[in-house]
Amino acid sequence: QVQLVESGGGLVQSGGSLRLSCEASGVIFRITSMNWYRQTPGKQRELVALIDGSGRTNYVDSVKGRFTISRDNAKNLVYLQMNALKPEDTAVYYCNIKVGNWGEYWGEGTQVSVSS
């Protein structure tokens, strides 16, 4: 059974940095993309960053130039480096891995809180 575990969240002041990590406990085949989402209470979950099977990345406009998504060679780890954090970045961040065209795995989330 595949399990995704996030780590690295916490409380940081505006302008600070955090690095989120996501580790898969099992082997995952046919990965389409590895992703980070975030969600605040009462809001729809938002795709923040994506890295596809060819290593191409994409970001929501609000984090471009500040966040970087990366993965390791075995594709069992995905990271989100977050710099120049803002209070509006406060959310629960979720790791997500999409496989083929039919399925996906989710982590349980890690809290990121940015104070002003």
Side-chain angles (χ1 to χ4, degrees), residues 3 7 10 13 22 32 42 47 52-53 58 61 77 85 97 103 107:
Q3 184 177 18
S7 62
Q13 290 186 331
C22 173
T32 300
L47 177 62
D52 71 14
N58 199 12
D61 286 346
L77 289 168
L85 283 161
I97 299 178

Side-chain angles (χ1 to χ4, degrees), residues 52-91:
D52 71 14
S54 298
R56 292 171 292 195
T57 60
N58 199 12
Y59 303 90
V60 68
D61 286 346
S62 61
V63 308
K64 287 181 178 178
R66 301 188 297 118
F67 290 11
T68 303
I69 187 170
S70 61
R71 67 186 184 198
D72 76 347
N73 296 128
K75 298 183 178 180
N76 64 340
L77 289 168
V78 60
Y79 305 97
L80 186 67
Q81 178 67 46
M82 305 185 294
N83 298 324
L85 283 161
K86 305 175 180 180
E88 51 263 44
D89 295 318
T90 296

Side-chain angles (χ1 to χ4, degrees), residues 37-54:
Y37 288 78
R38 66 186 180 188
Q39 188 170 28
T40 57
K43 303 292 185 180
Q44 190 171 16
R45 193 169 297 182
E46 174 187 42
L47 177 62
V48 177
L50 174 154
I51 184 166
D52 71 14
S54 298

